[in-house]
Amino acid sequence: MNILLIVPSYACSTFTGAGQRTIMIFEALRNLGNVNILIVGDGSPDFFAKFFLNSTTLTVIRPFERGEIGFWKHIRPVSPKVIDLVSTAFGSRKYLYMPDKNFFSFTEKICEFDLVVGRYLRPTVRSGALHFINVPVIVDVDDRDDVIFKSRLNRPDTSFFFKFFFKWHLKQMQIIMPNLLPMAKHLWVTSKSDYLEIKHESKSILPNIPFTNFNNKYIPLPENHTSNVILFVGSFGHRVNREGIERFITNCWPKIISVETDAKLRIVGSGGWETIKNKYNHISGIDIAGFKDSLEAEYKNAAFTVTPLFEGGGTKIKVLESLFYQRATLVTTHAHYGYDKLVNNKSILVASNESELIAGCINLLQNSKLRSRLAEEGRKIVFDEYSFERFSSLIKDTIKSIA
C-alpha cells in the first residue's frame, strides 16, 4: 500500500505533544505499507526527516499566509507580519479552509497513492486532498478547530474584547466544519465527546498514547515520598503551555508556597524556557530547567505533575506520560478532556478553577499516600487502554474497513 501522510509543520517539530501523536501514526502506518510525508508549512526537509525515519519520500510546501489571500495581499508588503496577524484576526476564516494554490502541482500526484491520512482538518483541506482527488482520505481530528475557540472563551482571564472575536471565529468554524468533514472517507477522534458531537457516517476513536515504544515490561518508578517537586512538562513554543504556566506562577504559586514553603515548581521542555528565567528570579521555588535529555529522570525526582491549562485543542499526552511513569497528576477540567476512563480522585486529580489547582497542589504535597494511590491506579488504566499495540490495531482496522 502506498500511503500519503499530511502533517502541519507544528505537529512534527518536537517529539512531545502533537509531534508524539504524529510519529505514532507514522509508525503504525509503516506496518501497512510505504509512507510518504507531506509537510504543510515552513522548514527544512532535513529537519523534518529525523521525525520520519525510513519514510519513502518527504516534501515540504508552504501554504499562503492569510495576509497573502484576497484584499489583504495588496497591503501586505507594507508590513507582512503585522498584516498576517491582523488578517487572521479580522479576516474570514473560510480562506484558510480552501485548497491552496501552492499545492496544486503536488495535488496532481495524490492520485498515485492508495490512501491519504491527514493530521487535522485545515492542512488536509489546504493540500487539496479532500476536493480534487478520488482517493480515500482519513482525517485525524485530534485538535478540533472549533473546540480551540471554545476553550479560549472559557479561559478565566479572557477579556470581553477577545471574547467577542473568539465567538465570531467559533461561529465561522461551526459553519465551515460540517461542510468539510463529510468529504473525508473516515474520521479519527480522540475522545468519546468528540465522537458523539461530530456527525459523520464513518468515525472511530483513536486515543492518544504515551510512547511508540510503549512496553508492558517497563518497571514503574517507585513513589518519591520525600520529593517536594511539582513537575510541568511542555514545549515553550506552544503558546498554550507558555501562557498557562505563567498564569499558574502568577495566580497560584504564591498561595501554594505560603503553605508549603519548601515546594519547588520545575519546568521542563524544549523551546526557549530559559528566556523567561529572569522574569521569575524573584519568586521562591521556581526552577526553569528547559530541555532535558532524560524525562524519566525528571519524573523520578518529582512528587507529582501539574497541567494548569485552560485552553487548547485535543487531548494532552503529557497526562498519560505522567501516569506511564507512575507519577500522580493534577490537571484542569480542560486538560482532563478525552480521558473518560481516568476518574477524578480515583486515578487522577481534576481542578475546575485556579482555587482548586492551589488546593490540589497543597493536598498532594502533604499526602504521599494519595499520590501513590492515584499514580498506581492511573498507571494500570494507561497500560490497559493506551498501548501502542492497541493504537496500531485500531489504525489497521480502520483502513481495512474503508478499503
Side-chain angles (χ1 to χ4, degrees):
M1 178 177 283
N2 201 23
I3 303 168
L4 175 65
L5 176 59
I6 301 171
V7 186
S9 56
Y10 60 80
C12 53
S13 57
T14 70
F15 287 101
T16 59
Q20 199 165 307
R21 181 175 175 87
T22 298
I23 295 167
M24 289 185 285
I25 291 175
F26 169 69
E27 293 295 339
L29 292 175
R30 279 188 60 230
N31 295 329
L32 303 175
N34 297 321
V35 184
N36 305 266
I37 306 297
L38 172 61
I39 305 293
V40 179
D42 274 325
S44 163
D46 290 338
F47 171 79
F48 293 118
K50 65 185 178 183
F51 297 96
F52 304 105
L53 299 177
N54 301 313
S55 63
T56 304
T57 62
L58 189 149
T59 305
V60 181
I61 300 176
R62 185 188 76 85
F64 279 108
E65 297 287 349
R66 181 63 184 89
E68 296 176 290
I69 304 171
F71 157 78
W72 302 98
K73 66 183 178 183
H74 300 295
I75 60 174
R76 187 174 186 267
V78 176
S79 181
K81 289 185 178 180
V82 172
I83 296 302
D84 288 342
L85 288 171
V86 172
S87 59
T88 300
F90 294 94
S92 173
R93 297 197 68 81
K94 69 179 181 180
Y95 294 103
L96 296 174
Y97 290 83
M98 292 181 175
D100 191 290
K101 290 181 180 179
N102 284 349
F103 292 82
F104 282 4
S105 60
F106 186 90
T107 302
E108 297 174 357
K109 304 175 184 178
I110 298 183
C111 59
E112 302 171 7
F113 299 102
D114 302 304
L115 173 70
V116 174
V117 175
R119 282 282 280 130
Y120 310 121
L121 176 62
R122 184 164 66 177
T124 308
V125 174
R126 301 199 82 176
S127 74
L130 282 179
H131 285 80
F132 300 129
I133 307 302
N134 190 24
V135 174
V137 178
I138 299 172
V139 177
D140 179 40
V141 191
D142 177 14
D143 289 358
R144 272 178 55 186
D145 305 57
D146 56 340
V147 168
I148 291 173
F149 289 110
K150 283 182 181 178
S151 68
R152 290 180 181 177
L153 280 168
N154 292 331
R155 264 179 52 169
D157 59 345
T158 301
S159 67
F160 176 81
F161 177 79
F162 281 106
K163 280 187 177 183
F164 173 82
F165 282 101
F166 292 154
K167 285 180 181 178
W168 179 52
H169 286 301
L170 174 60
K171 186 175 181 180
Q172 290 182 73
M173 293 315 308
Q174 290 172 334
I175 295 172
I176 292 169
M177 290 179 64
N179 290 328
L180 292 175
L181 288 175
M183 298 172 71
K185 184 78 172 181
H186 186 86
L187 301 180
W188 282 325
V189 297
T190 56
S191 69
K192 184 178 179 181
S193 299
D194 287 348
Y195 183 87
L196 295 173
E197 289 179 16
I198 294 177
K199 294 182 180 179
H200 197 282
E201 292 182 354
S202 180
K203 57 187 176 180
S204 57
I205 297 175
L206 184 66
N208 276 320
I209 60 172
F211 303 102
T212 52
N213 61 347
F214 186 96
N215 191 327
N216 282 336
K217 296 179 182 179
Y218 179 82
I219 299 174
L221 297 174
E223 171 65 33
N224 193 332
H225 293 286
T226 61
S227 176
N228 59 357
V229 175
I230 303 172
L231 179 66
F232 173 83
V233 178
S235 170
F236 178 83
H238 185 34
R239 178 191 60 80
V240 171
N241 286 337
R242 187 170 63 251
E243 294 182 2
I245 200 65
E246 290 204 56
R247 279 197 309 275
F248 180 77
I249 292 173
T250 301
N251 300 336
C252 302
W253 189 246
K255 295 179 182 178
I256 295 168
I257 204 73
S258 69
V259 177
E260 293 296 314
T261 55
D262 294 330
K264 304 291 182 185
L265 174 64
R266 186 167 171 84
I267 301 168
V268 174
S270 62
W273 287 111
E274 64 278 0
T275 62
I276 64 170
K277 273 189 175 183
N278 292 337
K279 188 176 179 180
Y280 299 109
N281 275 344
H282 64 288
I283 300 178
S284 174
I286 303 296
D287 181 9
I288 301 178
F291 176 77
K292 293 294 176 181
D293 289 326
S294 174
L295 281 181
E296 181 174 351
E298 296 298 328
Y299 283 104
K300 183 178 182 179
N301 293 325
F304 62 95
T305 65
V306 65
T307 307
L309 309 181
F310 288 92
E311 65 167 310
T315 53
K316 306 294 185 282
I317 294 178
K318 58 173 68 77
V319 174
L320 299 180
E321 185 177 87
S322 180
L323 294 173
F324 172 85
Y325 282 117
Q326 196 159 291
R327 281 297 174 265
T329 186
L330 169 64
V331 304
T332 60
T333 305
H334 172 77
H336 186 231
Y337 179 81
Y339 295 127
D340 304 316
K341 295 185 182 296
L342 296 173
V343 180
N344 186 27
N345 286 317
K346 290 187 177 180
S347 51
I348 197 170
L349 207 58
V350 183
S352 60
N353 53 48
E354 290 179 337
S355 295
E356 292 182 6
L357 276 175
I358 295 166
C361 284
I362 294 171
N363 191 13
L364 287 172
L365 284 168
Q366 295 177 343
N367 192 339
S368 63
K369 289 184 178 180
L370 173 62
R371 299 200 306 259
S372 295
R373 177 173 61 79
L374 293 174
E376 290 175 9
E377 185 61 29
R379 185 176 184 273
K380 289 177 185 176
I381 293 171
V382 167
F383 273 76
D384 288 343
E385 301 292 335
Y386 302 100
S387 70
F388 180 69
E389 289 76 17
R390 182 168 182 265
F391 182 89
S392 186
S393 176
L394 290 170
I395 287 179
K396 184 178 179 180
D397 291 345
T398 295
I399 294 173
K400 183 178 179 181
S401 70
I402 67 172

